[in-house]
Amino acid sequence: RYAVCVAEDFMESLIAGIAASRLGISTRTLGRWAKKGAIRSVVTTGRWRLYDPRDVERLKRALAKRS
């Protein structure tokens, strides 16, 4: 089941592969985190999951603090 929407906040967004690469994790892990609410995402009508670059950077900083 997919929540399909197009939000203005995601006009300049990252696809899962690029977002995961910036975080140093797999796309599957990123998808699981998105489903759990750790990072916001939207799913396009073509079923591409998109991430806001600002959210990716916030999560990257949070992960760096944990290590």
Side-chain angles (χ1 to χ4, degrees):
R1 196 180 271 198
Y2 291 91
V4 178
C5 65
V6 177
E8 243 179 70
D9 292 350
F10 286 83
M11 292 305 285
E12 292 191 23
S13 55
L14 302 173
I15 59 173
I18 293 172
S21 176
R22 289 187 182 184
L23 292 167
I25 60 174
S26 72
T27 55
R28 292 189 73 179
T29 297
L30 183 59
R32 281 194 297 271
W33 289 0
K35 288 179 184 175
K36 290 181 179 181
I39 186 169
R40 293 184 317 143
S41 69
V42 294
V43 179
T44 68
T45 54
R47 295 192 175 177
W48 286 76
R49 191 173 290 274
L50 303 177
Y51 299 87
D52 187 317
R54 296 168 293 192
D55 292 339
V56 172
E57 288 306 313
R58 277 188 216 109
L59 184 54
K60 186 176 180 178
R61 285 192 300 273
L63 292 172
K65 286 180 182 180
R66 290 178 59 190
S67 23

